[in-house]
Amino acid sequence: MILETAIKNFRRHLAGRVLYLVALALLVMVSYDCLTTFQDSFISRISQGNPALVALLLLFFSLLGFSVLIIFYANRFFIHQHRSEIGLMIISGLSRGQIALIFFLETLFGELLALGFGLLLGLLTNKLFAMLLLRLMGLRAATNHWFSFSALWKTSLGFLIVFALVGIFDSSRIFSLRTVRLLYPNELGDIRQRNSWLNRLLAWLGPLLVIGGYVAVFKLSWIHFMETLRFSDRTATNTVLIMGALILGIWFCFRNTLPALFSWLQGTKWAYDQQRILDLATTGQEVQFHHQSLTLTTLFVTASVVLLGFASVLYSDGFRNLEEEAPIDLVADRQFHDHVLQQIKAKGGHLQRLAHLPVKIMPVTLHGPKSDVIMSQATMPIEIVGMHNYLQIQRHQKNLLPVILDRNQALFISQDFQYQHVHLHELMRNQVQFADGKLPRLQIVAFSRVYPLGSNLFFGNVLVVPDDIFEQIPSANSRVLVGYRLKKIAPDSPFLKKIDDDSYQSKASRQMRYRHPQQLQKAQITIYQDVKRDLSNAYISSNYSVRGPSQVLLQRVLGAIVFVIGLLAILMTFAWASVCSLRELSEVERTRFDYLTLTKIGIDQHHLLRYSNWKNRMLFLSPVIFGIGNGLLVMRFVGLYLNHLPMKLLYLLTAAVFIVYWCFYLFTSYNYRRIIKMTTPPDQQGR
Amino acid sequence: MRMVEVKQVSKSFGARNNLVRALNNISFTIDRGEFVGVMGPSGAGKTTLLNIMSTIDRPSVGRVYVAGQEITALPERDLATFRRENIGFIFQDFNLLPALSVSENLVMVLSMLKIPRDEVQKRLAYYSEHLNLNKLLTRYPNELSIGQKQRVAAARALMTQPKILFADEPTGSLDSKSATELLQYLATINLENETTIMMVTHDAFTASYCNRIVFIKDGAFYSEVVRAGSRQQFFNQIIDMQAAIGGGKISDFRNRD
């Protein structure tokens, strides 16, 4: 009988839970795809055991964790839906254990259906999943795998553990339910608008915490913590405090502020002249009743927007960085190039010399708007190349900015400039003064992020100057870089990877000790070679660089991370929207007889449906809009530091998030109206 | 033999400023085989009292003994067994399980008690016959009229052959014909099977089927009326008491006579 009751309950509620089960199936599908792809030997071989693939494993466990949360919440609404039945079973003499078993079986049928369907979808989409991942990782290889017994049972086991875990939570909840509350539900009545000082305080505290959190986000340099991730740092405490304040603020807003505001609105005379305002005001108790899920919706939407933002930044910026890299296979300082060349030739590699680039270094001062911000100090070291040599390199490196410099003009090359939040036109109004007082001031007339022969062999900022100026600059600490084209060795071969790794070792890297007093002439540059790397020193560069391995590694890591983050955000959006839909549909079981009563006392059904639409829209979309606002604000803030943040792409993805929630709202609203319309007095139903 | 004993029970809801005392130190007893009605004005605490006596709720203070056991001290796991073996409940709004057919609603608890199938079928046949449910057994709750639903609810409450049957406004949603049929049936099982019944009602006609009416007001025992003569006389006594409880003291009402 327990089984029979569970099956019948499951069948009765199936229609309203379809989207939730589809969302669950999608989580299973992606989990299976992640494991299969991670375990596939072919993919592992062609990606050369790239550590980025571990991201797939992280995604698998993240999805399991997220599944616990959404199933937990969905079951909470199911229990809410079943409360009078549970009460009846208790008073009929069924033990709590038997009731928990009925409920567990009922939910398990749906979960098993989703698991089976998800695994089937996983088998069907596995090849597509792997091909998309490989494409983003820059691997052009066809993969034909789709079935993995190991992934199949591991995914099944993982989700069965999730189902069991949530089953235990649900059982403990059923054991703690009070019978009288189940049989005489009056939840909204219990939540009285307490006019206590605490309630009023929290109602004010909510928006204050949110606004304070936003202000703190802009004022405190928590971004430093995000860069270093050092928890011992003071900024870590600030970051945690800001995030905590924001979450608490959002919670109080839904729990206290909005209900208090709506309650106040209900008492105002003018609300009765504005039907929409009155409709809004009457949703106050619903908002308070669901404040927990509304807060979570806001947080999940924020997280989705931020994740999509980071995915789009990584995709656009990371791949632009890849494109900006010099398409020159090997660059070496003269001092080292014999040693490297010998190694490559010994391995059968063929080298073709392309161009050489003399480089000099000198302290400079900028004069002009925001020069102190650009330099970050009183003076700055700058590496200098001549225009003729720059143009020579341009023949082999087409992504270099084409520029012809007149007398006393200079091209400024920097990748750090974009983080300084200075407009380009302000940079162009700056002049460069060299430490050598005999040299004339140069006007910066152009800016580029692309370094000749690649960025690895430079400390930071580079200046391209007219040849006559370059000739006058002292040759202390000068060097010559030589670029080569490399043939007969694959760019991602282990041999080149080893050379690349070696180029970052202490023996092959250069360090610059720079002292920058207020007076330019007293600024000193000392370059150390072959010393133990001092991580606190910001000025480090390589003596030689091979392009292939780091390019390949970067592309694969970027591809995998963008893929994983984007997928997580999309799944999170879809799955949580389905839980919101369940919440509203579980509510209609409680409210439909209220609507019926209102119809009986003469209120037009058209008006009731309009009110239900309004209420659904308010509960469904207000936390979504709040979350989107939060997410965009966070990304906009990050954008202050990343001028290149592709906000257009982020806006597009944010619109996609909103559309998903909007579609779920339409589905929910349609079903809600359908149930209200179907509700008739029992004696009017067919016998 | 004493079936129920309520000893100095109080029940409060809310806290501090919002404290509402639903029951205030109420005590009374019900003997085996009695058909007792509980009446009182709205908010007097009738349903709260019924909930406490039927194990749905617990008192803030006091003790309740049902069938010789102190139910207010029983842990939840023992309460389930106690309910199965001793208590039946009829609700005003029936509370049938919508996913199950009428016959499934009736046998569900017995199936889980692992009572022999023959015995379950025997009881099903008996109560279906007596409550005129034979043609409804395959239907679902949403296919029944209100009167039919209440008959099913009554049959379900009786299927476990409880020692005491609690009924909360069982005729509240019924038309007069259905109400009379149900009340006559309750009176019959009270007489024939000696099933103790406690019924909360606000309707004097419904209450006239009882043997004794306990009147409560403001959560405390107010008075009681015991049936001595015909049902008509008992009905008049109830009406008189209702008039008295509506305002003033009962002595005031008597003085006016």
Side-chain angles (χ1 to χ4, degrees):
Chain A
M1 196 67 195
I2 285 179
L3 188 67
E4 204 173 332
T5 311
I7 290 172
K8 290 198 171 191
N9 276 344
F10 167 67
R11 282 171 57 187
R12 188 159 58 100
H13 293 292
L14 185 59
R17 297 178 186 176
V18 164
L19 282 181
Y20 159 70
L21 295 178
V22 169
L24 206 55
L26 289 179
L27 291 174
V28 175
M29 175 189 91
V30 176
S31 301
Y32 170 77
D33 287 340
C34 281
L35 269 191
T36 317
T37 309
F38 178 73
Q39 292 179 342
D40 187 68
S41 56
F42 173 73
I43 291 177
S44 181
R45 185 158 41 82
I46 60 170
S47 63
Q48 308 217 337
N50 195 305
L53 284 178
V54 175
L56 291 175
L57 212 55
L58 289 177
L59 179 61
F60 174 77
F61 286 111
S62 304
L63 291 179
L64 283 183
F66 186 63
S67 302
V68 171
L69 194 71
I70 72 152
I71 298 172
F72 175 78
Y73 250 84
N75 288 2
R76 189 181 157 184
F77 298 128
F78 296 158
I79 289 178
H80 183 64
Q81 209 170 13
H82 282 321
R83 64 191 184 283
S84 64
E85 288 173 47
I86 293 173
L88 180 66
M89 289 188 211
I90 291 171
I91 198 65
S92 299
L94 266 69
S95 68
R96 302 267 178 157
Q98 287 172 315
I99 297 165
L101 184 62
I102 291 176
F103 184 78
F104 175 70
L105 288 173
E106 180 192 330
T107 51
L108 187 68
F109 293 139
E111 288 156 3
L112 289 177
L113 191 72
L115 178 63
F117 188 57
L119 288 174
L120 185 70
L121 281 177
L123 290 170
L124 293 173
T125 58
N126 195 249
K127 189 175 169 183
L128 178 70
F129 180 92
M131 294 300 284
L132 272 173
L133 176 66
L134 291 180
R135 192 171 178 80
L136 274 171
M137 289 173 73
L139 289 165
R140 302 203 178 277
T143 168
N144 212 16
H145 74 289
W146 59 279
F147 180 78
S148 160
F149 180 73
S150 163
L152 209 61
W153 81 259
K154 280 177 185 166
T155 309
S156 304
L157 182 71
F159 274 90
L160 287 174
I161 290 171
V162 167
F163 300 156
L165 203 63
V166 180
I168 292 168
F169 290 146
D170 293 338
S171 301
S172 68
R173 194 185 290 162
I174 287 171
F175 272 85
S176 66
L177 289 172
R178 285 183 60 196
T179 317
V180 68
R181 287 287 176 93
L182 295 166
L183 291 167
Y184 300 92
N186 192 23
E187 299 96 322
L188 288 180
D190 287 344
I191 303 168
R192 281 182 285 273
Q193 278 295 314
R194 289 180 292 271
N195 201 23
S196 65
W197 65 269
L198 184 66
N199 193 44
R200 284 200 298 274
L201 176 73
L202 295 180
W204 282 105
L205 194 60
L208 284 177
L209 282 173
V210 171
I211 294 167
Y214 289 158
V215 171
V217 157
F218 283 94
K219 290 288 177 192
L220 299 177
S221 60
W222 63 276
I223 194 75
H224 179 64
F225 165 65
M226 301 301 283
E227 286 168 353
T228 60
L229 287 175
R230 282 183 197 163
F231 284 93
S232 55
D233 203 327
R234 191 180 159 192
T235 47
T237 318
N238 291 339
T239 308
V240 171
L241 284 176
I242 293 169
M243 293 302 155
L246 273 174
I247 292 170
L248 212 58
I250 293 167
W251 190 49
F252 288 153
C253 278
F254 282 118
R255 186 177 178 271
N256 302 88
T257 313
L258 285 179
L261 178 70
F262 291 165
S263 172
W264 172 78
L265 270 179
Q266 263 186 304
T268 58
K269 189 172 172 250
W270 60 275
Y272 286 85
D273 300 331
Q274 303 286 330
Q275 187 61 48
R276 295 261 177 211
I277 303 232
L278 193 61
D279 286 349
L280 180 73
T282 48
T283 58
Q285 285 193 329
E286 301 274 354
V287 171
Q288 192 176 33
F289 185 61
H290 291 299
H291 70 271
Q292 207 175 21
S293 71
L294 294 176
T295 306
L296 276 176
T297 307
T298 307
L299 296 180
F300 275 118
V301 173
T302 305
S304 299
V305 171
V306 170
L307 284 177
L308 285 171
F310 276 116
S312 60
V313 169
L314 284 174
Y315 180 79
S316 306
D317 190 52
F319 283 96
R320 189 177 72 168
N321 279 343
L322 283 175
E323 284 167 13
E324 283 175 353
E325 274 304 305
I328 291 169
D329 299 329
L330 171 70
V331 182
D333 193 314
R334 274 233 169 103
Q335 192 184 349
F336 270 81
H337 96 298
D338 288 350
H339 167 68
V340 180
L341 260 56
Q342 274 175 10
Q343 284 188 62
I344 291 173
K345 282 176 181 169
K347 203 72 183 173
H350 183 263
L351 287 156
Q352 180 191 352
R353 182 174 167 141
L354 298 176
H356 71 281
L357 181 70
V359 183
K360 295 177 179 175
I361 189 163
M362 179 176 274
V364 299
T365 296
L366 294 183
H367 295 279
K370 297 204 173 167
S371 56
D372 51 338
V373 179
I374 300 167
M375 292 187 291
S376 307
Q377 51 206 1
T379 58
M380 70 174 176
I382 199 156
E383 285 170 290
I384 306 150
V385 298
M387 191 176 71
H388 173 74
N389 294 317
Y390 179 82
L391 294 175
Q392 289 283 317
I393 303 294
Q394 205 176 44
R395 281 164 40 192
H396 307 286
Q397 190 180 342
K398 301 295 180 195
N399 59 358
L400 281 182
L401 186 75
V403 64
I404 299 294
L405 301 170
D406 288 340
R407 188 179 167 78
N408 297 346
Q409 289 183 337
L411 161 68
F412 184 65
I413 300 172
S414 171
Q415 283 187 343
D416 294 333
F417 174 69
Q418 63 182 350
Y419 301 109
Q420 291 163 334
H421 197 50
V422 177
H423 288 292
L424 202 55
H425 64 86
E426 289 170 321
L427 174 72
M428 299 297 191
R429 284 161 57 199
N430 271 273
Q431 288 191 332
V432 182
Q433 184 186 350
F434 293 96
D436 186 341
K438 294 173 189 166
L439 294 167
R441 283 189 180 188
L442 302 181
Q443 178 69 45
I444 295 175
V445 292
F447 166 75
S448 172
R449 282 168 40 95
V450 185
Y451 291 77
L453 296 178
S455 59
N456 283 356
L457 281 84
F458 294 96
F459 288 120
N461 301 319
V462 173
L463 204 63
V464 181
V465 300
D467 290 330
D468 58 328
I469 304 289
F470 185 73
E471 293 301 327
Q472 293 174 46
I473 294 172
S475 299
N477 294 319
S478 68
R479 61 199 173 117
V480 177
L481 305 177
V482 188
Y484 293 91
R485 179 171 294 143
L486 181 58
K487 294 178 181 174
K488 297 187 179 176
I489 294 182
D492 57 348
S493 64
F495 167 69
L496 276 191
K497 190 171 181 306
K498 186 180 176 304
I499 291 187
D500 189 46
D501 289 344
D502 289 347
S503 73
Y504 293 103
Q505 301 301 314
S506 296
K507 284 186 178 177
S509 62
R510 303 156 66 229
Q511 281 186 322
M512 175 171 67
R513 192 69 39 89
Y514 176 69
R515 287 190 294 166
H516 47 85
Q518 295 299 314
Q519 284 185 310
L520 179 61
Q521 278 73 17
K522 290 185 180 177
Q524 287 182 356
I525 288 174
T526 316
I527 293 176
Y528 297 90
Q529 183 66 54
D530 192 13
V531 293
K532 194 172 183 183
R533 183 175 281 192
D534 176 6
L535 290 174
S536 66
N537 191 340
Y539 301 104
I540 296 168
S541 80
S542 299
N543 269 312
Y544 58 92
S545 165
V546 281
R547 174 176 168 265
S550 55
Q551 289 281 93
V552 168
L553 181 75
L554 191 61
Q555 184 165 17
R556 288 177 189 170
V557 168
L558 273 176
I561 290 174
V562 165
F563 185 75
V564 164
I565 290 180
L567 207 56
L568 184 64
I570 292 164
L571 284 173
M572 194 187 279
T573 301
F574 196 80
W576 194 254
S578 75
V579 172
C580 291
S581 175
L582 284 180
R583 182 192 65 207
E584 292 306 298
L585 291 179
S586 73
E587 268 302 292
V588 74
E589 293 292 330
R590 182 178 61 79
T591 53
R592 61 188 180 140
F593 290 108
D594 297 345
Y595 284 108
L596 185 65
T597 308
L598 290 171
T599 314
K600 281 179 180 173
I601 63 172
I603 296 175
D604 189 0
Q605 199 182 48
H606 168 74
H607 283 96
L608 290 176
L609 294 178
R610 182 182 53 76
Y611 170 71
S612 80
N613 274 348
W614 176 255
K615 191 191 79 167
N616 275 328
R617 203 176 302 159
M618 164 74 199
L619 288 177
F620 214 100
L621 298 179
S622 62
V624 175
I625 293 168
F626 196 1
I628 285 176
N630 271 338
L632 288 179
L633 200 74
V634 170
M635 292 316 293
R636 189 75 215 176
F637 169 69
V638 176
L640 291 176
Y641 291 84
L642 303 169
N643 287 341
H644 56 285
L645 180 70
M647 294 300 276
K648 280 180 191 169
L649 183 57
L650 176 60
Y651 291 147
L652 201 69
L653 292 170
T654 304
V657 169
F658 186 77
I659 288 167
V660 169
Y661 276 96
W662 180 263
C663 290
F664 272 88
Y665 155 70
L666 290 180
F667 168 83
T668 309
S669 191
Y670 169 77
N671 277 296
Y672 199 98
R673 285 200 306 271
R674 187 176 57 81
I675 293 169
I676 290 174
K677 282 180 187 171
M678 274 169 53
T679 306
T680 54
D683 57 345
Q684 290 171 3
Q685 288 181 344
R687 296 179 188 177
Chain B
M1 183 190 169
R2 190 159 289 173
M3 178 57 74
V4 179
E5 185 175 4
V6 176
K7 284 176 99 173
Q8 296 173 321
V9 165
S10 296
K11 177 72 181 178
S12 304
F13 296 106
R16 293 182 183 176
N17 297 338
N18 293 323
L19 192 74
V20 175
R21 180 160 281 191
L23 291 176
N24 189 6
N25 200 27
I26 191 168
S27 301
F28 66 95
T29 58
I30 298 174
D31 289 336
R32 184 166 180 259
E34 269 199 291
F35 188 168
V36 176
V38 177
M39 296 187 80
S42 294
K46 302 184 294 288
T47 300
T48 306
L49 178 65
L50 187 80
N51 286 341
I52 288 172
M53 291 169 69
S54 61
T55 71
I56 291 176
D57 206 354
R58 288 181 187 270
S60 307
V61 181
R63 293 174 185 179
V64 178
Y65 297 86
V66 177
Q69 288 197 61
E70 189 190 343
I71 57 165
T72 41
L74 279 180
E76 184 60 38
R77 62 176 182 279
D78 295 337
L79 271 179
T81 314
F82 177 80
R83 285 171 186 138
R84 280 197 301 259
E85 292 172 356
N86 296 290
I87 289 178
F89 207 110
I90 304 176
F91 298 89
Q92 183 182 1
D93 49 0
F94 332 122
N95 279 9
L96 300 177
L97 294 176
L100 304 183
S101 68
V102 168
S103 63
E104 288 165 343
N105 261 290
L106 295 182
V107 304
M108 185 189 74
V109 178
L110 296 185
S111 309
M112 291 176 190
L113 288 174
K114 296 187 177 138
I115 289 173
R117 191 179 173 80
D118 290 349
E119 175 62 23
V120 174
Q121 289 305 318
K122 198 173 139 189
R123 288 190 201 179
L124 178 65
Y126 178 81
Y127 289 107
S128 303
E129 178 69 32
H130 281 75
L131 283 156
N132 196 19
L133 299 173
N134 281 331
K135 291 180 182 171
L136 308 176
L137 290 176
T138 55
R139 290 196 191 173
Y140 281 82
N142 66 342
E143 297 169 337
L144 303 177
S145 70
I146 291 180
Q148 289 167 338
K149 281 182 185 175
Q150 194 59 296
R151 293 211 305 274
V152 176
R156 184 187 57 194
L158 295 166
M159 283 287 281
T160 53
Q161 298 183 335
K163 290 178 182 156
I164 182 164
L165 182 67
F166 292 99
D168 186 7
E169 304 269 14
T171 58
S173 308
L174 301 183
D175 58 73
S176 60
K177 183 172 174 286
S178 304
T180 306
E181 282 174 5
L182 181 69
L183 289 167
Q184 281 172 346
Y185 187 72
L186 292 179
T188 307
I189 58 159
N190 172 244
L191 280 174
E192 291 179 356
N193 304 345
E194 285 199 355
T195 304
T196 311
I197 301 174
M198 179 181 157
M199 177 172 70
V200 164
T201 182
H202 65 276
D203 178 39
F205 174 76
T206 304
S208 68
Y209 281 84
C210 302
N211 309 127
R212 179 162 64 107
I213 305 295
V214 173
F215 285 90
I216 60 173
K217 186 180 180 182
D218 299 331
F221 178 83
Y222 182 81
S223 180
E224 68 174 12
V225 179
V226 180
R227 182 175 172 175
S230 67
R231 200 161 68 79
Q232 180 61 49
Q233 287 171 327
F234 189 46
F235 175 78
N236 289 336
Q237 282 179 288
I238 296 166
I239 294 286
D240 288 348
M241 186 57 72
Q242 273 193 309
I245 208 169
K249 296 173 184 172
I250 192 161
S251 55
D252 299 339
F253 180 75
R254 281 178 181 150
N255 291 339
R256 280 205 300 273
D257 278 345

